[in-house]
Amino acid sequence: FAIGSSTKAFTTFVMGTLVDEGKLDWDKPVSNFLPGFRLYDRTATELITPRDLVTHRSGLPRHDLSWYNATDLSRKELVDRLPYMKPTYSLRERFQYNNFMFLTAGYLVEQVTGKSWEDNVRERIFGPLGMTGANFSVEDSQKAADFALPYDEEAETIKLIPFRVVTNMGPAGSINASARDMAKWVGIHLAGGKVGDKQIIGTATLADIHSPHMVIDEAVERPELSQPSYGMGWFIDTYRGHRRVQHGGNIDGFSALVTLLPQDGLGMVILTNKNGTGVPELLARHTMDRLLDLEPINWNGEALVRRDVALAEQKVATVRKEEMRKFGTKPAHELEEYAGDYFHPGYGTLRIDVMGDKRKELQVTYNSMSSPLEHWHYETWNGPTSIEPPTFENQKFLFQTDVNGNVVAVKTDFEPSLSEGITFEKRPDARLSDSAYLARFAGEYELTGQTVSIQLAGNVLTVNLPGQPQYHLVPELGGEFSLKEASIIRVRFDEQDGKITSATFLQPNGVFTAKKK
């Protein structure tokens, strides 16, 4: 089974062994170990420590869509996106679950040791514990004779879904393991870091990992549970008066839970192959009640009631979503004007295409996931329901236009906690930076009795006028260029029968056309 974010405790365990060896310090700035490391906020960059990375108090919200399905990016490339991801709180101000920080922690381990995060886990955990079947990728997992398949529930029907590759985000959640292997993992935590007579991690270091470091500001469900906090890769609370250290894990088609009751000498691992199911926590509560000889509580019955209410409310809410729509509107542009590559330095490239022959529609592609888009209203488009993968289902895309009438950006709610959303800026046509394509514009043009020479230097066009300095053309939207040295002036090349006939200079005081000689 995939254990998802239960992997995080493996990352902090490895870090703990490095602390024991004096190679890492929980409380020194990350920049001491990763020169050049940066976050969006300068103060946070200077102060953030390895302990902050693994306690979800960096100030950053999840920003998960930046990495989700971005399988072609290395860990370094993902970490390099962090300076462009806006925080929603200051460092250490508030608990905000964040996978990127655990990725950074794993990358930190790699830089400190000179070995991959996977090799560190193998050498420092899997090997000593004898976790012979555990691995780090869904491809390796499927080589086993008894691998679990991933399932999801849609309209109260269970369906098989594809495996999700999360190898590059490994330190945050890529481990796959059996119940037998995971029982060994539970054992070393209950044994204070020992396997047999061998101390794998310092007892005090493990106790530090299991200790509360960040209070979680959320309502307590009921009196049997205490206010939760977060240690290092573990959630911590009390269950009916018994101290509990635990961590769940959810990745497409799998839900897991590892639970420790250190003072009672008990632990359990619950692995399921259904997406986002609450079964692991419910089963853990029933099991703890029996093992601890507590008065039974009908946890499952209560959960079923809540589930039925939620399903009924969801059906009504789905029908009513049309209330948010303005009917009778139409797009401000032809569909082809929306097409192109849009870029955000923290999220990469989002592509919009026009698809279809008779009935054309827009399609969005991001991190190799594609979805058709339906016109919602005005300049807003929507990801329809019943699409696979459902990543963009009911996701809104708002296109923005500049004063020249060009579509210049698209804004999405890829990070819901950011009120301003994530804005991808449209990139000029890639051909405008291709020397082979630009060569057709080079030549001499006649403008008001003087010769304008447009030349190609590498993949940049230059404009040369008598008695004036050389100007460089910068690609812009709409197939136009601007002058680098005077950006208020734009240049448009005119074409007829496949040949360039003129260059038009669009200036604040007028529009001037130079005919090509």
Side-chain angles (χ1 to χ4, degrees):
F1 292 79
I3 70 168
S5 286
S6 298
T7 299
K8 290 179 170 63
F10 287 80
T11 297
T12 57
F13 191 100
V14 167
M15 293 171 75
T17 63
L18 293 174
V19 169
D20 289 343
E21 295 168 10
K23 297 176 181 177
L24 189 66
D25 190 309
W26 290 120
D27 300 309
K28 288 184 178 179
V30 170
S31 57
N32 284 21
F33 309 100
L34 287 180
F37 172 77
R38 286 193 305 124
L39 296 174
Y40 185 90
D41 180 77
R42 180 178 177 179
T43 301
T45 299
E46 295 173 351
L47 297 178
I48 194 168
T49 65
R51 191 185 300 273
D52 295 320
L53 294 179
V54 295
T55 50
H56 301 299
R57 61 189 191 188
S58 67
L60 271 72
R62 298 182 73 118
H63 287 292
D64 278 342
L65 268 182
S66 177
W67 64 262
Y68 186 72
N69 209 53
T71 55
D72 59 333
L73 296 179
S74 68
R75 286 172 187 160
K76 181 183 186 307
E77 288 172 319
L78 288 169
V79 170
D80 286 346
R81 288 184 168 187
L82 288 172
Y84 309 102
M85 295 183 180
K86 288 187 177 181
T88 47
Y89 290 93
S90 299
L91 177 68
R92 302 172 193 150
E93 181 182 357
R94 187 181 180 91
F95 176 89
Q96 289 188 112
Y97 197 88
N98 186 280
N99 288 300
F100 258 108
M101 293 298 100
F102 269 85
L103 163 70
T104 305
Y107 180 65
L108 171 63
V109 165
E110 294 180 339
Q111 298 307 300
V112 167
T113 63
K115 298 180 180 179
S116 70
W117 169 80
E118 287 86 351
D119 282 346
N120 274 285
V121 174
R122 287 189 191 99
E123 294 175 10
R124 296 169 183 270
I125 302 175
F126 288 178
L129 271 61
M131 296 178 64
T132 55
N135 62 70
F136 304 95
S137 77
V138 292
E139 290 91 347
D140 288 343
S141 187
Q142 291 172 72
K143 295 175 184 177
D146 58 348
F147 69 90
L149 292 167
Y151 291 89
D152 197 3
E153 184 174 357
E154 184 178 293
E156 300 181 62
T157 301
I158 301 298
K159 64 174 185 178
L160 183 67
I161 63 173
F163 282 93
R164 180 65 57 192
V165 177
V166 290
T167 307
N168 54 359
M169 286 294 290
S174 74
I175 290 177
N176 308 287
S178 66
R180 185 184 301 276
D181 280 334
M182 291 300 292
K184 296 173 182 177
W185 171 240
V186 166
I188 192 171
H189 286 275
L190 296 178
K194 273 189 174 183
V195 175
D197 295 329
K198 188 174 182 181
Q199 193 78 40
I200 304 300
I201 188 172
T203 303
T205 303
L206 192 61
D208 191 15
I209 289 172
H210 290 169
S211 296
H213 293 291
M214 193 65 189
V215 173
I216 300 173
D217 183 18
E218 65 178 36
V220 179
E221 180 186 333
R222 51 186 299 163
E224 288 84 359
L225 306 173
S226 69
Q227 187 73 39
S229 59
Y230 200 82
M232 290 192 277
W234 294 94
F235 288 93
I236 299 157
D237 65 358
T238 59
Y239 174 80
R240 304 185 75 173
H242 295 260
R243 184 169 182 270
R244 178 170 63 165
V245 178
Q246 64 170 341
H247 210 293
N250 291 281
I251 194 63
D252 302 45
F254 295 92
S255 302
L257 180 64
V258 179
T259 297
L260 308 171
L261 299 172
Q263 294 169 341
D264 299 286
L266 297 173
M268 66 189 75
V269 179
I270 301 168
L271 307 174
T272 71
N273 56 335
K274 179 171 174 286
N275 198 58
T277 177
V279 165
E281 173 65 12
L282 294 173
L283 184 55
R285 293 182 187 184
H286 278 294
T287 307
M288 287 186 289
D289 288 348
R290 296 187 183 196
L291 289 174
L292 299 171
D293 197 24
L294 302 172
E295 185 71 24
I297 295 176
N298 187 12
W299 295 113
N300 198 54
E302 293 180 8
L304 284 170
V305 171
R306 291 195 301 271
R307 175 182 179 273
D308 291 343
V309 170
L311 285 173
E313 290 178 347
Q314 181 60 52
K315 288 177 181 178
V316 173
T318 299
V319 172
R320 295 190 63 189
K321 74 176 183 179
E322 296 288 326
E323 294 178 12
M324 299 183 290
R325 193 173 192 173
K326 305 291 185 184
F327 290 95
T329 68
K330 61 181 182 180
H333 303 266
E334 297 295 328
L335 293 188
E336 286 74 14
E337 294 182 51
Y338 298 101
D341 289 332
Y342 296 75
F343 181 75
H344 183 283
Y347 278 76
T349 299
L350 179 150
R351 179 157 185 85
I352 299 293
D353 290 295
V354 179
M355 308 297 289
D357 296 321
K358 293 182 179 180
R359 185 181 180 277
K360 293 185 176 181
E361 63 180 4
L362 293 184
Q363 174 181 278
V364 60
T365 300
Y366 178 70
N367 284 351
S368 301
M369 299 177 290
S370 297
S371 168
L373 293 179
E374 59 180 356
H375 181 247
W376 190 248
H377 54 223
Y378 298 109
E379 289 295 84
T380 300
W381 299 70
N382 180 60
T385 56
S386 302
I387 55 175
E388 187 61 46
T391 308
F392 307 116
E393 187 174 311
N394 294 318
Q395 182 79 50
K396 301 298 186 292
F397 296 82
L398 172 63
F399 290 92
Q400 300 172 347
T401 305
D402 67 7
V403 295
N404 297 309
N406 294 313
V407 178
V408 295
V410 60
K411 185 172 79 169
T412 74
D413 292 325
F414 277 6
E415 176 42 62
S417 65
L418 287 176
S419 58
E420 69 269 34
I422 303 295
T423 298
F424 292 79
E425 295 185 358
K426 193 175 186 182
R427 286 185 154 176
D429 189 330
R431 294 179 302 175
L432 301 186
S433 298
D434 180 357
S435 58
Y437 180 77
L438 293 175
R440 62 204 300 262
F441 302 125
E444 293 187 340
Y445 296 75
E446 185 177 347
L447 177 65
T448 62
Q450 60 181 340
T451 298
V452 179
S453 176
I454 296 181
Q455 300 173 355
L456 181 62
N459 66 340
V460 176
L461 291 172
T462 62
V463 179
N464 305 274
L465 295 104
Q468 295 193 36
Q470 187 180 69
Y471 297 99
H472 298 79
L473 294 185
V474 178
E476 297 288 352
L477 299 176
E480 298 178 349
F481 296 84
S482 64
L483 299 187
K484 181 180 179 181
E485 293 76 11
S487 59
I488 198 169
I489 300 175
R490 302 170 73 87
V491 180
R492 181 187 69 229
F493 289 94
D494 307 305
E495 183 177 343
Q496 186 175 352
D497 298 328
K499 294 183 179 181
I500 302 302
T501 59
S502 59
T504 297
F505 291 78
L506 300 93
Q507 302 179 187
N509 63 330
V511 177
F512 304 88
T513 297
K515 292 185 178 180
K516 190 173 185 183
K517 292 185 178 182

